Amino acid sequence: MSPETAPHSGAEFADRTYIVTGGGSGIGRAIALALAEAGARPVVAGRTPERLDETVALIEKTGRSALAVPTDVRDPQAVDALVAAAVDRYGRLDGLVNNAAGNFVVPGIDLSPNGWRAVVDIVLNGSYYCTRAVARHLREEGRGGSILSVIASYAWHGHPGTVHSAAAKAGVLAMTRTLAVELAPLGIRLNCVAPGPTETDGAGAALWATPEARAGVLASVPAGRFAAPSEVADTALFLLSDRASYLTGECLTLDGGQWLGKQIYGRTTATA
Ligand code: HXC
């Protein structure tokens, strides 16, 4: 594929196969749909079969192919079976999107060990199990590939109320930077995308469940709006694609300026 290939031409990812965890909703579904539109066969994994089936149906309606594999990423054996199912169906695997996440807002001092474990297991352990399984397959096949993890800027600046998620996402960033080096000789690239507040049901329910909470989040974004899942998918596809072929161990933040936008001395952003 030449670097000049137009994005979303329907051929950029022709016949490639990518596993997308959490592919039954929100950002994961948007990435799966965009991958299919660009010619790939997404394999969507998650805990709720009905939601995965909905994603597959949306893709099949466009004349493309996708596979649903109900999977709990916290179970390493289930993750190995997911990789085997993807290869069995499509004959090859080219990469992975670690998107499955769990989150809720609670002061860290009040979080139970089980609550901590639930989020860290999904986000950090699950991303590692999936990355390991996909990388091992790529190594066996002697083929390079691309692995993308969806994190959040609080991986590096922290965030009161989501200590479990912030710590887990920070772990995923460190995992990405570490394995980007270890796996570079095999032609396997690892990167992250850090979306800001994104208009999805899952994040909305977990993080801004009331109109007041939503308004507060919105006020924190200099761009003045939430991200659309399709915007996150665009960045995700760039990082997965050959257009980013020399890019590894990086994180692209798309948050409308949110994490940089501390306005300590009053409102200092431009008005129209
Ligand atoms: C306090 C809570 C809680 C809450 C769960 N727990 N919700 N504690 N406040 N709101 C505690 C439970 O009491 C329990 O501990 C433990 O967490 C496990 O809960 P379960 O429901 O048994 O676990 P499970 O079914 O595995 O569910 C995992 C989950 C759930 C994380 C709790 O919310 C989930 O699966 N969510 C997936 C969807 C999701 O959250 N998406 C949003 C991602 S958005 P005890 O001690 O009682 O047994 C995102 C964006 C970040 O990550 C970036 C934004 C910028």
Side-chain angles (χ1 to χ4, degrees):
M1 187 185 318
S2 86
E4 288 79 35
T5 305
H8 300 270
S9 62
E12 186 179 25
F13 286 88
D15 298 325
R16 294 188 181 190
T17 304
Y18 293 85
I19 291 172
V20 182
T21 69
S25 60
I27 290 173
R29 175 176 285 176
I31 292 174
L33 291 173
L35 278 169
E37 193 190 334
R41 286 95 43 113
V43 175
V44 288
R47 280 180 292 164
T48 316
E50 300 75 32
R51 288 201 199 149
L52 301 176
D53 291 343
E54 275 172 24
T55 302
V56 170
L58 286 169
I59 289 170
E60 287 178 343
K61 254 206 295 200
T62 69
R64 310 270 181 187
S65 178
L67 175 69
V69 183
T71 309
D72 187 336
V73 296
R74 293 175 281 197
D75 175 353
Q77 283 178 334
V79 167
D80 288 344
L82 163 65
V83 170
V87 174
D88 187 50
R89 170 70 180 268
Y90 291 122
R92 63 181 279 174
L93 191 54
D94 300 274
L96 161 73
V97 179
N98 285 314
N99 166 74
N103 211 348
F104 49 84
V105 179
V106 63
I109 197 168
D110 297 325
L111 176 63
S112 72
N114 206 27
W116 168 270
R117 222 171 1 248
V119 171
V120 172
D121 259 359
I122 296 169
V123 174
L124 178 56
N125 297 345
S127 295
Y128 173 66
Y129 300 148
C130 291
T131 299
R132 173 182 180 274
V134 169
R136 286 166 80 104
H137 170 77
L138 293 172
R139 180 174 64 178
E140 256 171 46
E141 293 292 306
R143 174 183 293 145
S146 183
I147 296 173
L148 178 69
S149 296
V150 180
I151 62 165
S153 63
Y154 55 51
W156 56 91
H157 62 67
H159 181 248
T162 59
V163 66
H164 41 15
S165 176
K169 300 277 192 190
V172 173
L173 181 59
M175 176 191 83
T176 297
R177 290 177 169 154
T178 302
L179 296 182
V181 176
E182 289 188 13
L183 299 177
L186 302 181
I188 302 172
R189 298 185 298 106
L190 290 92
N191 291 291
C192 293
V193 60
T198 305
E199 200 75 79
T200 67
D201 292 343
L207 301 174
W208 51 88
T210 64
E212 297 73 38
R214 187 184 160 87
V217 173
L218 204 51
S220 75
V221 184
R225 64 176 180 85
F226 286 68
S230 61
E231 293 179 294
V232 182
D234 269 343
T235 300
L237 258 64
F238 165 66
L239 288 169
L240 288 171
S241 77
D242 291 353
R243 285 176 287 145
S245 52
Y246 205 53
L247 211 163
T248 195
E250 263 305 329
C251 179
L252 283 189
T253 306
L254 72 155
D255 68 349
Q258 186 195 38
W259 90 270
L260 295 169
K262 307 277 174 287
Q263 299 192 63
I264 297 163
Y265 307 114
R267 188 191 163 89
T268 44
T269 46
T271 49

